[in-house]
Each structure stands twice: as C-alpha cells, then as structure tokens.
C-alpha cells in the first residue's frame, strides 16, 4: 500500500514543479518584446480619426507582442522616458506639438542615439519652425483635394511596410500634396497616380507624375518612416492599411529590415 502513496507524492511534487515553469513560460510568451509611444498632440486641426488610430495601434500591439503607450504631453519627451521606446509614432500631430526647446532637444538626441520615428498622415503638418523635424519627416504638407478614391502604386513589396500590398492599391483617403518631393533623400515606398483622381489641392496645383505618399530613410543616426495615409476613420479598419501600418511600426522600431537608402 506504500508504493501508490509514494507514487502519488512524486507526481504531486512533479506537478508542483511543472505548473510554475509552465506559467512562467506562458508569461514569457505573452511579454511584450518592445515598446512604442504614440504621440497625438495637436495645436492646429485635429483629426477625428486619432482615437481610431490609437485603438488600431493598441490592437496591433496586443496581436504582435509590442506594448503601446499613448500621450499628448510633450513634457514626456525627456532622455529617460524616451529611452523606454523603440519607436515614437507621431499620429496626425499638427501645428507645433513639441513645444519646448528641452523637449525638442531630447527627441533629437533620441533619434541621434538610434531611435525610431513613424509619422502618420498629419505628422507632416507639424513642426514648420523646426527644420530638424522637417528633415526627419522628409517633406512638409502643402494642401490636399477632397477625399476621394485613387490608385496608389507600390513599386515593390520587399519591405515590411509594403509586403502583401498590391502593386495597384485602390483606396479612399485624403491625398496630401507636399511642399517638396522627398525622393532624393528617401526610399519611396508608395506613390499615387494623379491620373486616377483630381489631385488639385485648395492652394492650387498638384505634385505631378512623381507623387510620393510613403517613404523611409535613415536620419541623423536613427530610423524614420512616414506614411501620408490615415486621414479617415475607416482607414484603421482596412486590412491592407493595417498591414502597411504594422510593417511601418516594425521598421521604425528596428524589428524589420530597414533597406532605406535614398532612391537614385
């Protein structure tokens, strides 16, 4: 009668050892592998899609094991706080969202030390008096026509931001015209075909045959990705846009290849 008792005791001991190990393994499997900061402060026009963008990025984080913090407080731009993040995402910021010299200097040091930046849509409508930031984004916003359907051209799908996207990507958004063409300083990830919509913005004119809409580049020691997409609330439920957004986050965070030398 002693043998079964001993067997049960051994089994109980083994179970006691295995259960914590299994719990620890499960916890490790669900632990975020990196952290990003979503910054959505506006001092100009405020996009109604911002809450939808935050929710979409949070869901991408939950599904892809990265943590997402959010803020509209630029006093959080300090060396110690920014060091927590693999990328800072400017989500449709407008005007002068980083207001103090100290915050600007801390963000610049963050990029210089190898940090990552992702600008979404109106991030290009920000920092007009901050030339360094303009270089980080790649180009400043000029104007846009009415929201309408158009064809986006994706030249290749060998980056995380473009993988799985069709060569001709038909979608509806607010299509930006920029003050300059960034191509000489960036790798263009997507352009828009001006023949497929009315591209004339409210200040008149358009960008012409070469009209970049998303790009990436190395800048001042760090990584920078920008996508002009994401004005509409519906954008943040589109599977293809979410694929593009996730890939862009991974590239900015250094969790995907970053072959972003400037186009010839």
């Amino acid at each position: 009668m002693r043998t079964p008792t001993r067997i049960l005791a051994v089994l109980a001991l083994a179970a006691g050892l295995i259960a914590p190990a299994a719990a620890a393994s499960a916890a490790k499997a669900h632990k975020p592998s990196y952290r990003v900061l979503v910054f959505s402060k506006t001092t100009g026009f405020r996009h109604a899609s911002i809450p939808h963008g935050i929710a979409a990025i949070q869901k991408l984080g939950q599904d892809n094991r990265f943590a997402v913090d959010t803020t509209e407080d630029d006093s959080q731009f300090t060396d110690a706080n920014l060091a927590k993040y693999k990328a800072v995402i400017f989500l449709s910021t407008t005007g002068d969202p980083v207001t103090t010299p100290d915050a600007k200097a801390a963000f610049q040091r963050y990029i210089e030390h190898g940090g990552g930046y992702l600008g979404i849509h109106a991030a290009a409508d920000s920092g007009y008096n901050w030339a360094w930031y303009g270089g980080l984004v790649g180009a400043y916003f000029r104007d846009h026509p009415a929201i309408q359907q158009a064809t986006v051209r994706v030249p290749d799908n060998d980056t995380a931001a473009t993988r799985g996207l069709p060569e001709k990507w038909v979608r509806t958004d607010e299509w930006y015209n920029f003050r300059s063409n960034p191509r000489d300083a960036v790798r263009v990830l997507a352009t828009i075909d001006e023949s497929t919509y009315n591209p004339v913005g409210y200040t008149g004119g358009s960008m012409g045959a070469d009209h970049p809409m998303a790009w990436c580049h190395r800048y001042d020691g760090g990584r920078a990705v920008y996508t002009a997409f994401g004005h509409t609330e519906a954008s943040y439920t589109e599977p293809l846009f979410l694929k593009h957004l996730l890939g862009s986050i991974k590239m900015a965070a250094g969790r995907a290849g970053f072959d972003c030398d400037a186009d010839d």
Side-chain angles (χ1 to χ4, degrees), residues 35 37 76-88 103-111 115:
R35 185 174 295 272
L37 178 65
Q76 292 192 27
F77 280 38
T78 65
D79 293 335
N81 193 50
L82 292 175
K84 302 174 186 176
Y85 302 105
K86 293 297 184 183
V88 179
K104 287 179 167 71
F107 186 59
Q108 184 167 337
R109 286 191 296 270
Y110 167 76
I111 294 297

Side-chain angles (χ1 to χ4, degrees), residues 78 134 164 183 200 231 237 239 252 258:
T78 65
R183 184 177 292 277
V200 178
H231 171 86
T237 59
F258 203 83

Side-chain angles (χ1 to χ4, degrees), residues 244-259:
H244 169 64
L245 182 57
L246 176 60
S248 298
I249 293 170
K250 288 181 176 180
M251 288 179 67
R255 297 303 170 116
F258 203 83
D259 182 11

